[in-house]
């Protein structure tokens, strides 16, 4: 452990628990907290400003927790969320679950009913620890006002050491009183590369590998290990594939980059990893959803030796059978393995040039396929395309093919961009088109897969990195869950750009009704007024796009407004009702009916 933090007075001092709470956050360099004000923590909130802490009021507490997630993922430090006891806190559960699966060091502060009223069923009373038990790495409950600084400090320490959300639960009457306390200095874990024996075993496997492949995972981003991953890959001449929804874990311009695995990922990445005799999962838990068959390919190499490197030992071998497990930091492990391979003759050295040609060829083939893949070709999508040829948009234009739109957005992306994507059909197809040059640039709800994620998360990211362009992608269903946070962006001068794909349907689930339920659509259709118009009513800019050649210019204009004028803008893109592949073909079964009244529903 190393000590770091502000230059604080040492030794015990007399203060209130509110002061101890706030001063411990100061020691942890907290500058921004997202939430909605409440009486439960008002005594502490009263001194946020003189402590240098900004409380950013949101519209809904779920948005606040998503903002804290985005803030943490960009900054690499804590994101902090707070709310009123009871309903304010319960509103955060979904977003904390998303942060948990993204390994975000979010600290959720949960003021609680006072100790003298607990158990009596009073106003806004709730047992708040069980709500978050599954989705936190640590739960600190202040059981005595004298321990306020201790539990606060521990929650901040554990969020970073275990890379995940922690909960600080504080009975509301414990903010008051007089205590003698020393503000704890932050403890920061100094991570190592893993055990010498496992590193040696991994190096031996790699020395004999003929077609090694590296999976660059979220641990590469969190460990600031991209340069070390590059050096490691270059020594091996190994193709590098991104783990699912970690498209920012390796620069897309690098010759060894091959794109993401998983749903709607890169065929080049999948074809290359299928040839591997040794796979190095660098900073990846190898989550099941990120290695499922896709594009009709069951690409996971069945006979390859797997070296898995993860800072959490519980992840090693959990999902995939492994040959070597290394409990270590992605950066340190990559350095240690590269050093072990220095000066050695490797089995893969002789084939480096041939493998480079194979990598380039597979990537070129995939790019050509994407260029030519202008629309979906399944029967339902073709029917929708034909039907919508006869329609015009409310502004007199045309409904656009989502894949063409995504390709145009990709071309128009600014340098140093940050992108968040919601869950849904078009957003998932976007996985094929989102490429990045630097880490901490791509944010998605990961395996929790909740709607309403993209906008608040990108607002939090923008608050942490105000000089970077910030863009959110959302479908019309998911967008409606969180679009009110446009008010937060406008009210508090946190300008972002949102791209809303308006196809008037819950696309991901509707695809299941196409594939399994004979196009019997129940609750899948969405009719909405103009989202650009709604944005304008909230004080933002709005642009409706219904011509393909408007897509790139609209994004560039919106980003320019964001960066030069401090304006939030919603780009509403009118899309056809065609649908990409389903999330999982193994998730549903063909329906069977035994009762006569349902016999036609098969």
């Amino acid at each position: 452990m190393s000590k770091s933090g502000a230059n604080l007075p040492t030794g015990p001092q007399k203060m209130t628990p509110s002061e101890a709470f706030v001063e411990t956050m100061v020691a942890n360099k907290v500058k921004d907290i997202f939430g909605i004000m409440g009486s439960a923590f008002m005594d502490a909130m009263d001194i946020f400003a003189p402590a240098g802490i900004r409380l950013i009021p949101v519209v809904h507490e779920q948005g606040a927790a998503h903002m804290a997630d985005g803030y943490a993922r960009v900054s690499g430090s804590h994101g902090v969320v707070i709310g009123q006891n009871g309903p304010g806190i319960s509103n955060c559960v979904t977003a904390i679950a998303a942060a948990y699966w993204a390994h975000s060091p979010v600290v959720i502060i949960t003021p609680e009913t006072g100790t003298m009223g607990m158990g009596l069923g009073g106003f806004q009373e709730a047992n708040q620890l069980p709500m978050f038990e599954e989705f936190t790495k640590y739960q600190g409950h202040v059981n005595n006002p004298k321990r306020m600084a201790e539990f606060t400090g521990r929650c901040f320490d554990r969020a970073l050491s275990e890379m995940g959300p922690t909960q600080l639960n504080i009975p509301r009457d414990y903010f008051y009183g007089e205590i003698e306390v020393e503000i704890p200095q932050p403890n920061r874990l100094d991570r190592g590369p893993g055990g010498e024996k496992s590193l040696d075993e991994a190096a031996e496997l790699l020395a004999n590998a003929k077609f090694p492949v590296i999976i660059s995972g979220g641990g590469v981003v969190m460990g600031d290990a991209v340069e070390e991953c590059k050096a490691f890959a270059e020594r091996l001449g190994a193709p590098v594939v991104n783990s699912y929804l970690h498209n920012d874990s390796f620069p897309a311009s690098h010759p060894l980059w091959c794109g993401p695995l998983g749903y709607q990922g890169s065929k080049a990445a999948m074809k290359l990893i299928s040839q591997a005799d040794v796979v190095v999962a660098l900073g990846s838990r190898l989550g099941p959803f990120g290695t499922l068959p896709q594009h009709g390919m069951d690409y996971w190499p069945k006979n390859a030796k797997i070296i898995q490197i993860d800072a959490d030992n519980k992840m090693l071998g959990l999902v995939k059978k492994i040959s070597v497990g290394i409990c270590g930091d992605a950066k340190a492990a990559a350095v240690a393995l590269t050093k072990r391979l220095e000066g050695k003759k490797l089995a893969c050295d002789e084939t480096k040039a041939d493998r480079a040609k194979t990598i380039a060829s597979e990537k070129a083939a995939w790019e050509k396929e994407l260029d030519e893949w202008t629309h979906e070709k399944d029967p339902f999508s073709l029917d929708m395309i034909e039907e919508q040829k006869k329609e015009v948009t409310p502004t007199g234009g045309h409904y656009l093919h989502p894949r063409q739109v995504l390709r145009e957005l990709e071309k128009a992306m600014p340098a140093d961009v940050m992108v968040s994507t919601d869950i849904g059909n078009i957003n998932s197809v976007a996985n094929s088109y989102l490429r990045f040059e630097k880490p901490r640039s791509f944010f998605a709800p990961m395996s929790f897969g909740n709607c309403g994620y993209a906008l608040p998360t990108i607002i939090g990211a923008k608050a942490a990195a105000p000089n970077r362009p910030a863009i959110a992608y959302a479908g019309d269903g998911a967008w409606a869950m969180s679009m009110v946070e446009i008010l937060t962006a406008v009210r508090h001068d946190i300008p972002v750009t949102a791209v809303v794909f308006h196809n008037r349907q819950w696309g991901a689930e509707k695809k299941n009704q196409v594939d399994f339920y004979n196009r019997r659509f129940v609750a899948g259709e969405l009719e909405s007024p103009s989202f650009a118009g709604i944005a304008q009513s909230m004080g933002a800019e709005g642009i409706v796009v219904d011509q393909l050649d408007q897509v790139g210019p609209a994004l560039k204009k919106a980003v320019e407004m964001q960066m030069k004028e401090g304006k939030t803008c919603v780009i509403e893109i009118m899309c056809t009702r065609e649908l990409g592949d389903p999330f999982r073909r193994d998730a549903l079964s063909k329906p069977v009916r035994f009762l006569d009244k349902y016999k036609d529903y098969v």
Side-chain angles (χ1 to χ4, degrees):
M1 288 280 194
S2 64
K3 296 282 186 178
S4 64
N7 293 319
L8 300 169
T10 56
Q13 299 176 79
K14 184 169 78 171
M15 62 185 77
T16 68
S18 283
E19 290 171 320
F21 166 63
V22 172
E23 281 297 293
T24 308
M25 289 199 291
V26 170
N28 282 276
K29 301 182 180 177
V30 174
K31 300 294 182 188
D32 291 304
I33 299 177
F34 301 91
I36 295 178
M37 64 177 287
S39 60
F41 62 99
M42 200 163 276
D43 190 66
M45 185 177 72
D46 185 53
I47 55 173
F48 282 178
I53 295 171
R54 173 177 64 159
L55 177 63
I56 300 174
V58 302
V59 179
H60 189 278
E61 289 90 353
Q62 179 176 328
H66 281 315
M67 289 177 204
D69 182 358
Y71 191 98
R73 292 178 72 177
V74 170
S75 68
S77 188
H78 303 97
V80 186
V81 56
I82 195 168
Q84 175 70 0
N85 60 257
I89 299 309
S90 64
N91 279 347
C92 295
V93 173
T94 293
I96 294 300
Y100 177 83
W101 288 110
H103 307 286
S104 291
V106 170
V107 179
I108 178 166
I109 299 157
T110 59
E112 187 177 61
T113 301
T115 55
M116 295 305 292
M118 185 61 70
L120 301 180
F123 184 61
Q124 296 182 327
E125 181 184 343
N127 191 355
Q128 295 175 173
L129 290 167
M131 291 182 196
F132 297 95
E133 184 177 7
E134 185 180 348
F135 301 121
T136 49
K137 297 288 189 176
Y138 173 75
Q139 295 178 295
H141 173 69
V142 179
N143 57 8
N144 188 296
K146 294 177 181 178
R147 302 184 72 184
M148 178 72 83
E150 174 196 343
F151 278 111
T152 303
R154 188 171 298 131
C155 282
F156 278 86
D157 289 343
R158 291 280 184 93
L160 281 179
S161 66
E162 300 196 31
M163 288 310 293
T166 59
Q167 179 185 7
L168 177 62
N169 198 62
I170 310 170
R172 58 186 296 162
D173 51 320
Y174 283 3
F175 284 100
Y176 302 91
E178 181 182 308
I179 60 175
E180 189 90 3
V181 66
E182 181 175 3
I183 301 300
Q185 291 279 341
N187 285 322
R188 296 293 175 258
L189 196 62
D190 185 15
R191 301 182 192 274
E196 293 292 311
K197 180 174 178 289
S198 54
L199 287 165
D200 288 342
E201 289 174 358
E204 184 66 23
L205 276 182
L206 288 167
N208 293 303
K210 294 178 180 176
F211 203 107
V213 175
I214 296 170
I215 300 175
S216 185
V220 172
V221 175
M222 288 177 267
D224 296 318
V226 171
E227 290 303 314
E228 290 73 16
C229 182
K230 279 167 60 177
F232 182 37
E234 288 164 2
R235 173 64 191 93
L236 294 166
V240 179
V241 302
N242 306 112
S243 67
Y244 181 58
L245 297 179
H246 288 296
N247 300 24
D248 57 346
S249 64
F250 201 77
S253 61
H254 195 284
L256 294 174
W257 169 85
C258 300
L261 297 179
Y263 181 48
Q264 294 288 352
S266 160
K267 283 189 181 179
M270 296 170 194
K271 287 179 179 178
L272 287 161
I273 199 171
S274 71
Q275 301 176 49
D277 58 350
V278 175
V279 173
V280 182
L282 183 61
S284 174
R285 66 186 181 91
L286 296 176
F289 195 64
T291 54
L292 283 172
Q294 182 64 194
H295 303 306
M297 289 187 284
D298 189 3
Y299 55 83
W300 188 258
K302 302 295 186 292
N303 299 315
K305 305 287 187 184
I306 311 297
I307 301 165
Q308 187 182 8
I309 302 163
D310 201 289
D312 183 353
N313 71 287
K314 297 186 294 299
M315 295 298 107
L316 299 176
L318 179 66
V319 179
K320 295 292 184 185
K321 182 181 178 181
I322 62 174
S323 302
V324 179
I326 299 171
C327 181
D329 172 71
K331 177 189 277 192
V335 169
L337 288 173
T338 306
K339 192 168 184 180
R340 278 167 169 75
L341 300 176
E342 276 177 11
K344 280 191 175 183
K345 184 169 178 56
L346 309 181
C348 63
D349 284 343
E350 292 180 11
T351 61
K352 218 175 210 183
D354 287 341
R355 285 181 294 122
K357 288 179 185 175
T358 302
I359 293 166
S361 173
E362 291 292 0
K363 286 166 62 174
W366 175 232
E367 290 306 311
K368 183 174 184 292
E369 183 173 350
L370 280 178
D371 284 335
E372 295 171 353
W373 198 350
T374 56
H375 59 79
E376 305 299 343
K377 298 179 176 68
D378 61 286
F380 172 79
S381 292
L382 293 175
D383 287 349
M384 291 300 98
I385 291 166
E386 191 61 33
E387 183 180 304
Q388 290 189 272
K389 281 180 182 175
K390 306 163 192 169
E391 293 184 70
V392 294
T393 67
T395 47
H398 304 285
Y399 289 98
L400 307 179
H401 300 305
R403 283 191 176 275
Q404 285 185 305
V405 168
L406 291 166
R407 198 61 153 167
E408 292 302 310
L409 290 168
E410 177 199 335
K411 293 174 189 173
M413 280 290 167
D416 202 25
V417 71
M418 302 182 291
V419 178
S420 65
T421 58
D422 227 295
I423 199 73
N425 195 268
I426 297 176
N427 284 277
S428 298
V429 173
N431 192 32
S432 298
Y433 301 90
L434 288 167
R435 296 97 185 275
F436 301 93
E437 290 303 311
K438 63 184 286 186
R440 305 191 186 280
S441 299
F442 184 41
F443 321 108
M446 312 308 294
S447 53
F448 200 61
N450 69 289
C451 290
Y453 170 91
L455 175 63
T457 300
I458 208 66
I459 291 172
K462 183 71 174 181
N467 296 322
R468 297 184 64 186
I471 299 171
Y473 281 10
D476 44 9
W479 177 251
M481 287 193 178
S482 61
M483 65 182 176
V484 287
E485 297 301 346
I486 287 290
L487 287 171
T488 301
V490 171
R491 286 167 174 167
H492 305 293
D493 298 317
I494 310 173
V496 297
T497 299
V499 180
V500 182
F501 303 106
H502 193 161
N503 64 355
R504 299 172 290 163
Q505 62 190 359
W506 284 107
E509 296 302 343
K510 190 174 176 182
K511 180 65 172 174
N512 290 326
Q513 293 172 329
V514 170
D515 288 353
F516 292 91
Y517 297 99
N518 200 27
R519 302 191 189 184
R520 292 190 295 273
F521 300 128
V522 180
E525 309 301 325
L526 299 171
E527 293 296 338
S528 307
S530 169
F531 293 118
I534 294 171
Q536 289 167 341
S537 74
M538 289 190 278
E541 301 295 319
I543 302 172
V544 178
V545 175
D546 53 14
Q547 301 287 345
L548 188 61
D549 61 5
Q550 297 171 354
V551 174
L555 184 66
K556 290 177 180 178
K557 180 180 178 182
V559 169
E560 185 176 5
M561 285 193 289
Q562 178 192 145
M563 301 306 294
K564 293 185 177 178
E565 302 173 44
K567 289 184 177 178
T568 289
C569 181
V570 173
I571 303 170
E572 179 181 13
I573 300 186
M574 310 306 291
C575 292
T576 66
R577 282 180 157 149
E578 62 194 272
L579 292 168
D581 277 353
F583 276 85
R584 293 175 58 181
R585 294 191 185 278
D586 65 332
L588 293 165
S589 299
K590 291 290 184 184
V592 175
R593 313 293 182 209
F594 294 108
L595 298 179
D596 285 345
K597 67 189 289 189
Y598 302 126
K599 66 182 180 180
D600 294 331
Y601 286 77
V602 292

